[in-house]
Amino acid sequence: MGIAEERVVAVIMVGGPTKGTRFRPLSLNIPKPLFPLAGQPMVHHPISACKRIPNLAQIYLIGFYEERDFALYTSSISNELKVPVRYLKEDKPHGSAGGLYNFRDLIMEDNPSHIFLLNCDVCSSFPLPEMLDAHKRYGGMGTILVVKVSAETANEFGELVADPMTNELLHYTEKPETFVSDRINCGVYVFTPDVFTAIQGVSTQRKDRANLRRVSSFEALQPDTRSLPSDFVRLDQDILSPLAGKKQLYVYETKDFWEQIKTPGMSLKCSSLYLAQFRRTSPHLLANGNGTNSPSISGEVYIHPSAKAHPSAKIGPNVSISANARIGAGARLISCIILDGVEIKENAVVSHAIVGWKSSIGKWARVQASGDYNAKLGVTILGESVIVEDEVVVVNSIVLPHKTLNVGVQDEILL
Protein backbone atom coordinates (compact mmCIF):
# COMPACT_ATOMS: atom_id res chain seq x y z
CA MET A 1 0.00 0.00 0.00
CA GLY A 2 1.27 3.47 -0.83
CA ILE A 3 1.43 6.28 1.66
CA ALA A 4 -1.58 7.96 0.05
CA GLU A 5 -3.75 4.94 0.84
CA GLU A 6 -2.48 4.66 4.39
CA ARG A 7 -4.12 7.72 5.92
CA VAL A 8 -5.65 7.13 9.34
CA VAL A 9 -8.36 9.08 11.18
CA ALA A 10 -9.02 8.88 14.94
CA VAL A 11 -12.37 9.46 16.65
CA ILE A 12 -12.65 9.97 20.42
CA MET A 13 -16.11 9.73 22.01
CA VAL A 14 -16.31 12.30 24.83
CA GLY A 15 -19.95 11.86 25.99
CA GLY A 16 -21.78 14.84 27.37
CA PRO A 17 -23.38 16.59 30.33
CA THR A 18 -26.29 14.10 30.36
CA LYS A 19 -23.66 11.47 31.17
CA GLY A 20 -20.94 11.61 33.79
CA THR A 21 -23.17 12.49 36.75
CA ARG A 22 -21.05 10.13 38.85
CA PHE A 23 -18.17 12.55 38.30
CA ARG A 24 -19.83 15.32 40.30
CA PRO A 25 -18.99 17.69 41.96
CA LEU A 26 -15.94 17.99 39.69
CA SER A 27 -17.99 17.98 36.47
CA LEU A 28 -20.11 20.89 37.73
CA ASN A 29 -17.29 23.24 36.72
CA ILE A 30 -15.70 21.70 33.68
CA PRO A 31 -16.60 19.08 31.05
CA LYS A 32 -15.34 15.74 32.40
CA PRO A 33 -13.01 15.20 29.37
CA LEU A 34 -11.16 18.42 30.28
CA PHE A 35 -10.60 17.50 33.94
CA PRO A 36 -6.83 17.29 34.52
CA LEU A 37 -5.11 13.97 35.13
CA ALA A 38 -1.36 14.26 35.75
CA GLY A 39 -1.66 17.94 34.85
CA GLN A 40 -3.18 17.32 31.40
CA PRO A 41 -6.88 17.23 30.42
CA MET A 42 -8.31 13.68 30.50
CA VAL A 43 -8.85 13.73 26.72
CA HIS A 44 -5.25 14.89 26.17
CA HIS A 45 -3.88 11.42 26.96
CA PRO A 46 -5.74 9.52 24.18
CA ILE A 47 -5.13 12.46 21.80
CA SER A 48 -1.38 12.31 22.50
CA ALA A 49 -1.47 8.55 21.92
CA CYS A 50 -3.17 9.10 18.55
CA LYS A 51 -0.29 11.38 17.53
CA ARG A 52 1.94 8.27 17.50
CA ILE A 53 -0.18 6.60 14.78
CA PRO A 54 1.66 6.68 11.43
CA ASN A 55 0.02 8.84 8.72
CA LEU A 56 -2.59 10.31 11.08
CA ALA A 57 -4.67 12.84 9.10
CA GLN A 58 -7.24 14.10 11.61
CA ILE A 59 -8.63 13.62 15.13
CA TYR A 60 -12.34 14.12 15.80
CA LEU A 61 -13.98 14.48 19.23
CA ILE A 62 -17.67 13.54 19.22
CA GLY A 63 -20.02 14.43 22.08
CA PHE A 64 -23.01 16.36 23.43
CA TYR A 65 -21.17 19.28 25.00
CA GLU A 66 -21.52 22.73 23.50
CA GLU A 67 -18.87 23.49 20.89
CA ARG A 68 -17.67 26.51 22.89
CA ASP A 69 -16.67 24.17 25.76
CA PHE A 70 -13.98 22.62 23.57
CA ALA A 71 -13.09 25.51 21.22
CA LEU A 72 -10.07 26.77 23.16
CA TYR A 73 -8.71 23.30 23.86
CA THR A 74 -9.04 21.93 20.30
CA SER A 75 -7.35 25.06 18.94
CA SER A 76 -4.37 24.82 21.32
CA ILE A 77 -3.89 21.05 20.99
CA SER A 78 -4.08 21.25 17.17
CA ASN A 79 -1.25 23.80 17.23
CA GLU A 80 0.75 21.83 19.77
CA LEU A 81 0.56 18.46 18.00
CA LYS A 82 0.45 19.81 14.42
CA VAL A 83 -2.57 17.56 13.75
CA PRO A 84 -6.09 18.96 13.18
CA VAL A 85 -8.32 18.20 16.19
CA ARG A 86 -12.00 19.01 15.63
CA TYR A 87 -15.01 18.79 17.94
CA LEU A 88 -18.31 17.52 16.47
CA LYS A 89 -21.52 18.02 18.44
CA GLU A 90 -24.21 15.34 18.22
CA ASP A 91 -27.76 16.67 17.91
CA LYS A 92 -29.20 13.67 19.80
CA PRO A 93 -28.00 10.30 21.12
CA HIS A 94 -27.17 7.89 18.29
CA GLY A 95 -25.41 5.17 20.30
CA SER A 96 -21.67 4.47 20.23
CA ALA A 97 -21.74 3.14 16.63
CA GLY A 98 -24.53 5.44 15.46
CA GLY A 99 -22.54 8.49 16.61
CA LEU A 100 -19.66 7.38 14.41
CA TYR A 101 -22.00 6.76 11.46
CA ASN A 102 -23.71 10.12 11.92
CA PHE A 103 -20.45 11.87 10.97
CA ARG A 104 -19.30 9.32 8.37
CA ASP A 105 -19.03 11.87 5.53
CA LEU A 106 -16.65 14.06 7.56
CA ILE A 107 -14.68 11.08 8.85
CA MET A 108 -14.23 9.75 5.31
CA GLU A 109 -13.19 13.15 3.85
CA ASP A 110 -9.52 12.17 4.09
CA ASN A 111 -10.28 8.79 2.50
CA PRO A 112 -8.69 6.91 5.43
CA SER A 113 -7.74 3.25 5.17
CA HIS A 114 -8.31 2.85 8.92
CA ILE A 115 -10.39 4.54 11.62
CA PHE A 116 -9.49 4.43 15.31
CA LEU A 117 -12.35 4.74 17.78
CA LEU A 118 -11.56 5.49 21.44
CA ASN A 119 -13.62 6.26 24.53
CA CYS A 120 -12.41 9.31 26.43
CA ASP A 121 -13.05 7.87 29.93
CA VAL A 122 -10.43 5.16 29.46
CA CYS A 123 -6.99 5.36 31.08
CA SER A 124 -4.39 3.33 29.21
CA SER A 125 -0.98 3.45 27.60
CA PHE A 126 -2.96 3.19 24.30
CA PRO A 127 -0.69 0.94 22.21
CA LEU A 128 -2.25 2.23 18.97
CA PRO A 129 0.59 1.73 16.43
CA GLU A 130 1.03 -1.87 17.67
CA MET A 131 -2.72 -2.39 17.43
CA LEU A 132 -2.74 -1.13 13.85
CA ASP A 133 0.08 -3.48 12.86
CA ALA A 134 -1.78 -6.44 14.39
CA HIS A 135 -5.03 -5.36 12.70
CA LYS A 136 -3.32 -5.37 9.29
CA ARG A 137 -1.96 -8.86 9.95
CA TYR A 138 -5.38 -10.18 10.96
CA GLY A 139 -7.07 -8.80 7.86
CA GLY A 140 -10.52 -8.32 9.42
CA MET A 141 -12.91 -5.38 9.62
CA GLY A 142 -12.03 -4.44 13.19
CA THR A 143 -9.65 -5.08 16.07
CA ILE A 144 -10.55 -4.55 19.74
CA LEU A 145 -8.08 -3.71 22.49
CA VAL A 146 -8.61 -6.17 25.37
CA VAL A 147 -7.11 -6.66 28.81
CA LYS A 148 -7.19 -9.43 31.40
CA VAL A 149 -8.95 -8.51 34.66
CA SER A 150 -9.98 -10.38 37.80
CA ALA A 151 -12.89 -12.79 37.39
CA GLU A 152 -14.74 -10.87 40.14
CA THR A 153 -14.79 -7.58 38.23
CA ALA A 154 -15.13 -8.87 34.64
CA ASN A 155 -18.95 -8.68 34.60
CA GLU A 156 -18.79 -4.90 34.95
CA PHE A 157 -17.54 -4.76 31.35
CA GLY A 158 -18.00 -6.40 27.97
CA GLU A 159 -16.55 -9.93 28.26
CA LEU A 160 -15.20 -11.75 25.23
CA VAL A 161 -13.75 -15.04 24.08
CA ALA A 162 -11.08 -15.10 21.37
CA ASP A 163 -9.27 -17.88 19.50
CA PRO A 164 -5.90 -18.24 21.32
CA MET A 165 -4.11 -18.98 18.04
CA THR A 166 -5.65 -16.55 15.54
CA ASN A 167 -6.98 -13.89 17.99
CA GLU A 168 -10.33 -13.97 16.18
CA LEU A 169 -13.24 -12.72 18.34
CA LEU A 170 -15.48 -15.77 18.83
CA HIS A 171 -18.01 -14.52 21.38
CA TYR A 172 -18.90 -11.14 22.88
CA THR A 173 -21.40 -10.29 25.61
CA GLU A 174 -21.94 -6.97 27.38
CA LYS A 175 -21.96 -7.13 31.23
CA PRO A 176 -23.11 -10.76 31.46
CA GLU A 177 -24.91 -12.09 34.53
CA THR A 178 -22.76 -15.23 34.59
CA PHE A 179 -18.99 -15.44 34.10
CA VAL A 180 -17.89 -15.75 30.48
CA SER A 181 -14.26 -14.66 30.39
CA ASP A 182 -11.64 -12.62 32.25
CA ARG A 183 -10.79 -10.81 28.99
CA ILE A 184 -12.70 -7.55 28.61
CA ASN A 185 -13.26 -4.86 25.99
CA CYS A 186 -11.07 -1.79 26.67
CA GLY A 187 -13.19 0.62 24.60
CA VAL A 188 -10.42 1.15 22.01
CA TYR A 189 -10.87 -0.07 18.43
CA VAL A 190 -9.43 0.17 14.94
CA PHE A 191 -11.72 -0.45 11.94
CA THR A 192 -11.61 -0.38 8.18
CA PRO A 193 -14.29 1.84 6.57
CA ASP A 194 -16.37 -1.34 6.16
CA VAL A 195 -17.63 -0.62 9.69
CA PHE A 196 -19.98 1.97 8.17
CA THR A 197 -21.58 -0.72 6.00
CA ALA A 198 -22.08 -2.90 9.11
CA ILE A 199 -23.71 -0.02 11.02
CA GLN A 200 -25.93 0.84 8.06
CA GLY A 201 -26.98 -2.82 7.92
CA VAL A 202 -28.24 -2.67 11.51
CA SER A 203 -30.24 0.49 10.76
CA THR A 204 -31.77 -1.05 7.63
CA GLN A 205 -32.70 -4.27 9.45
CA ARG A 206 -34.36 -2.26 12.19
CA LYS A 207 -36.39 -0.23 9.70
CA ASP A 208 -37.47 -3.42 7.89
CA ARG A 209 -38.54 -5.10 11.12
CA ALA A 210 -40.57 -2.05 12.13
CA ASN A 211 -42.33 -2.09 8.78
CA LEU A 212 -42.99 -5.84 8.72
CA ARG A 213 -44.57 -6.41 12.09
CA ARG A 214 -46.30 -4.60 14.89
CA VAL A 215 -45.03 -5.54 18.30
CA SER A 216 -47.58 -6.31 21.01
CA SER A 217 -47.64 -3.95 24.00
CA PHE A 218 -46.25 -6.73 26.23
CA GLU A 219 -43.32 -7.40 23.86
CA ALA A 220 -42.62 -3.70 23.58
CA LEU A 221 -41.85 -3.59 27.32
CA GLN A 222 -39.25 -6.35 27.08
CA PRO A 223 -35.67 -5.06 26.85
CA ASP A 224 -34.77 -7.53 24.06
CA THR A 225 -37.62 -6.61 21.75
CA ARG A 226 -38.45 -2.99 22.43
CA SER A 227 -37.80 -0.99 19.31
CA LEU A 228 -34.87 1.39 19.18
CA PRO A 229 -34.71 4.23 16.66
CA SER A 230 -33.21 2.94 13.42
CA ASP A 231 -30.31 5.44 13.68
CA PHE A 232 -29.47 4.42 17.28
CA VAL A 233 -26.81 1.72 16.95
CA ARG A 234 -24.75 0.38 19.86
CA LEU A 235 -21.27 -0.82 19.03
CA ASP A 236 -21.23 -3.63 21.58
CA GLN A 237 -24.69 -5.24 21.31
CA ASP A 238 -25.45 -4.37 17.67
CA ILE A 239 -22.05 -4.77 15.97
CA LEU A 240 -19.58 -6.74 18.09
CA SER A 241 -21.92 -9.49 19.35
CA PRO A 242 -23.51 -10.35 15.95
CA LEU A 243 -20.18 -10.29 14.08
CA ALA A 244 -18.29 -12.44 16.60
CA GLY A 245 -17.19 -15.76 15.10
CA LYS A 246 -17.53 -14.52 11.51
CA LYS A 247 -13.84 -13.79 10.83
CA GLN A 248 -14.61 -10.06 10.88
CA LEU A 249 -13.33 -9.02 14.32
CA TYR A 250 -10.08 -9.71 16.16
CA VAL A 251 -8.50 -8.79 19.49
CA TYR A 252 -5.20 -7.25 20.55
CA GLU A 253 -4.35 -7.79 24.22
CA THR A 254 -2.48 -5.15 26.22
CA LYS A 255 -0.33 -6.23 29.16
CA ASP A 256 0.01 -2.62 30.29
CA PHE A 257 -2.29 -0.62 32.58
CA TRP A 258 -5.97 -0.03 31.85
CA GLU A 259 -8.74 1.56 33.93
CA GLN A 260 -12.13 3.13 33.33
CA ILE A 261 -12.60 6.66 34.73
CA LYS A 262 -16.17 6.76 36.01
CA THR A 263 -15.74 8.44 39.39
CA PRO A 264 -13.53 11.16 40.91
CA GLY A 265 -11.80 8.49 42.99
CA MET A 266 -10.74 6.65 39.84
CA SER A 267 -9.44 9.91 38.36
CA LEU A 268 -6.93 10.08 41.20
CA LYS A 269 -5.79 6.52 40.52
CA CYS A 270 -5.51 7.24 36.80
CA SER A 271 -3.55 10.43 37.44
CA SER A 272 -1.08 8.23 39.31
CA LEU A 273 -0.84 5.79 36.37
CA TYR A 274 -0.17 8.61 33.90
CA LEU A 275 2.43 10.20 36.20
CA ALA A 276 4.23 6.84 36.36
CA GLN A 277 4.05 6.63 32.55
CA PHE A 278 5.65 10.10 32.30
CA ARG A 279 8.74 8.63 34.01
CA ARG A 280 9.21 6.54 30.81
CA THR A 281 7.73 8.80 28.13
CA SER A 282 7.92 12.46 29.29
CA PRO A 283 10.34 12.77 32.25
CA HIS A 284 10.65 16.52 31.57
CA LEU A 285 7.07 16.95 32.89
CA LEU A 286 7.98 15.60 36.33
CA ALA A 287 9.17 17.87 39.15
CA ASN A 288 12.48 17.46 40.97
CA GLY A 289 13.43 18.99 44.30
CA ASN A 290 15.62 18.39 47.33
CA GLY A 291 14.10 20.75 49.90
CA THR A 292 16.79 23.43 49.59
CA ASN A 293 15.70 25.82 46.86
CA SER A 294 12.56 23.86 45.98
CA PRO A 295 10.25 21.51 47.88
CA SER A 296 11.23 17.92 48.66
CA ILE A 297 9.82 15.70 45.92
CA SER A 298 9.28 11.95 46.31
CA GLY A 299 7.96 9.71 43.53
CA GLU A 300 6.16 11.14 40.50
CA VAL A 301 4.91 14.73 40.87
CA TYR A 302 3.66 17.27 38.32
CA ILE A 303 3.77 20.98 39.22
CA HIS A 304 2.48 23.59 36.77
CA PRO A 305 5.12 26.26 36.01
CA SER A 306 2.88 29.00 37.45
CA ALA A 307 2.33 27.21 40.79
CA LYS A 308 4.42 28.20 43.82
CA ALA A 309 5.55 25.76 46.52
CA HIS A 310 7.60 26.65 49.60
CA PRO A 311 11.00 24.88 49.80
CA SER A 312 10.04 23.35 53.16
CA ALA A 313 6.96 21.63 51.69
CA LYS A 314 7.10 17.86 51.09
CA ILE A 315 5.28 16.70 47.95
CA GLY A 316 4.64 13.23 46.57
CA PRO A 317 4.25 10.56 45.54
CA ASN A 318 1.37 10.83 43.02
CA VAL A 319 0.68 14.56 43.22
CA SER A 320 -0.53 16.86 40.43
CA ILE A 321 -0.58 20.62 41.09
CA SER A 322 -2.36 22.89 38.59
CA ALA A 323 -1.88 26.53 37.58
CA ASN A 324 -1.48 29.33 40.15
CA ALA A 325 -1.71 27.03 43.18
CA ARG A 326 0.21 28.10 46.28
CA ILE A 327 1.69 25.55 48.68
CA GLY A 328 2.78 26.94 52.05
CA ALA A 329 5.71 26.20 54.34
CA GLY A 330 5.76 22.73 55.90
CA ALA A 331 2.75 21.53 53.89
CA ARG A 332 2.61 17.79 53.15
CA LEU A 333 0.93 16.54 49.96
CA ILE A 334 0.47 12.83 49.20
CA SER A 335 -1.58 11.23 46.41
CA CYS A 336 -3.71 14.22 45.49
CA ILE A 337 -4.87 16.49 42.67
CA ILE A 338 -4.63 20.21 43.46
CA LEU A 339 -6.61 22.29 40.96
CA ASP A 340 -6.16 25.87 39.67
CA GLY A 341 -5.85 28.70 42.19
CA VAL A 342 -5.83 26.54 45.34
CA GLU A 343 -4.05 27.80 48.45
CA ILE A 344 -2.67 25.29 50.96
CA LYS A 345 -1.39 27.11 54.03
CA GLU A 346 1.45 26.33 56.42
CA ASN A 347 1.75 22.80 57.82
CA ALA A 348 -1.51 21.58 56.25
CA VAL A 349 -1.74 17.93 55.12
CA VAL A 350 -3.58 16.79 51.99
CA SER A 351 -3.65 13.04 51.35
CA HIS A 352 -5.80 10.93 48.98
CA ALA A 353 -7.85 13.96 48.02
CA ILE A 354 -8.90 16.23 45.15
CA VAL A 355 -8.97 19.93 46.06
CA GLY A 356 -11.26 21.99 43.82
CA TRP A 357 -10.56 25.25 42.01
CA LYS A 358 -9.82 28.31 44.19
CA SER A 359 -10.26 26.35 47.43
CA SER A 360 -8.28 27.13 50.56
CA ILE A 361 -6.86 24.73 53.17
CA GLY A 362 -6.01 26.46 56.47
CA LYS A 363 -2.92 26.18 58.69
CA TRP A 364 -2.47 22.77 60.34
CA ALA A 365 -5.67 21.52 58.65
CA ARG A 366 -5.91 17.96 57.31
CA VAL A 367 -7.84 16.88 54.23
CA GLN A 368 -7.49 13.13 53.84
CA ALA A 369 -9.12 9.78 53.02
CA SER A 370 -8.50 6.05 53.12
CA GLY A 371 -7.34 5.97 49.49
CA ASP A 372 -9.79 3.25 48.39
CA TYR A 373 -10.37 4.43 44.80
CA ASN A 374 -13.45 2.26 44.35
CA ALA A 375 -15.26 3.29 47.55
CA LYS A 376 -17.79 6.11 47.37
CA LEU A 377 -15.96 8.08 50.06
CA GLY A 378 -12.53 6.52 49.59
CA VAL A 379 -11.14 9.82 48.28
CA THR A 380 -11.96 13.19 49.84
CA ILE A 381 -13.23 15.69 47.25
CA LEU A 382 -13.62 19.42 47.73
CA GLY A 383 -15.63 21.27 45.07
CA GLU A 384 -14.84 24.77 43.83
CA SER A 385 -14.11 27.55 46.38
CA VAL A 386 -14.34 25.40 49.50
CA ILE A 387 -12.66 26.92 52.58
CA VAL A 388 -11.29 24.57 55.22
CA GLU A 389 -10.38 26.74 58.19
CA ASP A 390 -7.25 26.41 60.36
CA GLU A 391 -6.84 23.09 62.23
CA VAL A 392 -10.04 21.55 60.77
CA VAL A 393 -9.86 17.86 59.81
CA VAL A 394 -11.86 16.53 56.81
CA VAL A 395 -11.83 12.73 56.37
CA ASN A 396 -13.48 10.52 53.72
CA SER A 397 -15.92 13.23 52.65
CA ILE A 398 -17.31 15.00 49.57
CA VAL A 399 -17.92 18.74 49.89
CA LEU A 400 -19.90 20.58 47.23
CA PRO A 401 -18.78 24.02 46.00
CA HIS A 402 -18.73 27.27 48.01
CA LYS A 403 -18.80 25.75 51.51
CA THR A 404 -16.82 26.90 54.54
CA LEU A 405 -15.83 24.21 57.05
CA ASN A 406 -15.02 25.42 60.54
CA VAL A 407 -15.55 22.06 62.27
CA GLY A 408 -14.22 18.63 61.37
CA VAL A 409 -16.23 16.21 59.20
CA GLN A 410 -15.86 12.50 58.56
CA ASP A 411 -17.67 10.09 56.19
CA GLU A 412 -20.08 12.80 55.02
CA ILE A 413 -21.42 14.29 51.79
CA LEU A 414 -21.96 18.00 52.41
CA LEU A 415 -24.53 19.37 49.99
Side-chain angles (χ1 to χ4, degrees), residues 316-342:
N318 179 26
V319 174
S320 170
I321 299 174
S322 294
N324 302 310
R326 299 181 304 287
I327 313 300
R332 182 72 179 100
L333 308 186
I334 307 160
S335 190
C336 57
I337 295 174
I338 307 300
L339 295 169
D340 294 9
V342 165

Side-chain angles (χ1 to χ4, degrees), residues 280-325:
R280 304 190 304 273
T281 62
S282 310
H284 64 281
L285 293 176
L286 295 175
N288 295 297
N290 55 16
T292 307
N293 300 317
S294 55
S296 296
I297 303 292
S298 63
E300 286 84 21
V301 172
Y302 168 85
I303 301 178
H304 191 276
S306 66
K308 300 280 188 290
H310 194 276
S312 64
K314 287 186 165 56
I315 302 174
N318 179 26
V319 174
S320 170
I321 299 174
S322 294
N324 302 310

